[in-house]
Amino acid sequence: MDEYAREPCPWRIIDDCGGAFSMGLIGGSLFQMISGARNAPNGFSRRALAGITRVKERAPILGGQFAAWGICFSTFDCTFVHLRQKEDPWNSIMSGAAAGAVMVARHGPKQMLGSAIVGGVLLGLIEGLGIMMNHFGSTQFRPVDPRMIPEDPAGLEQQGQTESKGLFS
């Protein structure tokens, strides 16, 4: 599994923070470029300039927000790994819920609960999809019972067939 090839916990937090910042910056750049170009006056140069300006203004903010969520998630993930002494999908699900709650803590307990539910459900879906993909990907490497392999149809004799005279006859 991918979790076992990752960095140890103190370094994992910094690694995930950098990865989240990069994802937010790149995805934010694409989104902000399109948004800036859509809201600009007519003309290619005006749209391009407005898109670039919007990217310079807003993409680093989105990257920083992703990095904050990533560092919060990874910190909780390492904490749960340490407390539970095992690394399984439940750690990620609980980390997603905890990170979602912490990221909206200034808005009050009702919003924290809602965000925790959304974070836990999203991480549950992601982990479930990963488990499903691993399961279906590993079925091709399972040994096959030789009795269940069909015979080669090219090696079978066809009885009662006469010599072929042509394509349509």
Side-chain angles (χ1 to χ4, degrees), residues 7-25:
E7 295 284 331
C9 249
W11 304 110
R12 183 185 303 183
I13 296 170
I14 304 302
D15 187 43
D16 287 349
C17 179
F21 179 78
S22 299
M23 284 194 305
L25 190 66

Side-chain angles (χ1 to χ4, degrees), residues 101-148:
V102 167
M103 295 305 287
V104 295
R106 298 186 321 172
H107 297 285
K110 185 177 178 183
Q111 284 76 18
M112 285 177 68
L113 179 65
S115 186
I117 290 171
V118 168
V121 167
L122 282 176
L123 264 296
L125 290 172
I126 291 169
E127 288 293 326
L129 185 65
I131 290 169
M132 186 178 71
M133 296 293 283
N134 282 339
H135 174 73
F136 288 134
S138 67
T139 56
Q140 64 182 338
F141 298 112
R142 290 189 181 150
V144 178
D145 187 8
R147 295 173 290 182
M148 301 302 289

Side-chain angles (χ1 to χ4, degrees), residues 9 18 21-22 29 34 37 45-46 48-49 52 54-55 61 76 79 81 103-104 106 114 116 123 127 130 134 139 161:
C9 249
F21 179 78
S22 299
S29 295
I34 292 168
S45 63
R46 289 180 177 173
L49 185 61
I52 291 170
R54 180 82 182 233
V55 166
I61 295 170
F76 279 117
T79 302
V81 167
M103 295 305 287
V104 295
R106 298 186 321 172
L123 264 296
E127 288 293 326
N134 282 339
T139 56
Q161 183 179 3

Side-chain angles (χ1 to χ4, degrees), residues 2-84:
D2 193 25
E3 279 79 27
Y4 301 115
R6 294 175 64 184
E7 295 284 331
C9 249
W11 304 110
R12 183 185 303 183
I13 296 170
I14 304 302
D15 187 43
D16 287 349
C17 179
F21 179 78
S22 299
M23 284 194 305
L25 190 66
I26 292 168
S29 295
L30 293 173
F31 179 77
Q32 297 300 333
M33 182 68 166
I34 292 168
S35 177
R38 270 188 71 199
N39 297 325
N42 289 339
F44 179 75
S45 63
R46 289 180 177 173
R47 289 186 186 268
L49 185 61
I52 291 170
T53 302
R54 180 82 182 233
V55 166
K56 289 195 290 189
E57 291 173 353
R58 300 290 301 166
I61 295 170
L62 190 61
Q65 291 170 343
F66 268 67
W69 191 90
I71 201 166
C72 189
F73 173 82
S74 294
T75 302
F76 279 117
D77 193 32
C78 288
T79 302
F80 290 135
V81 167
H82 179 73
L83 291 175
R84 297 181 69 225

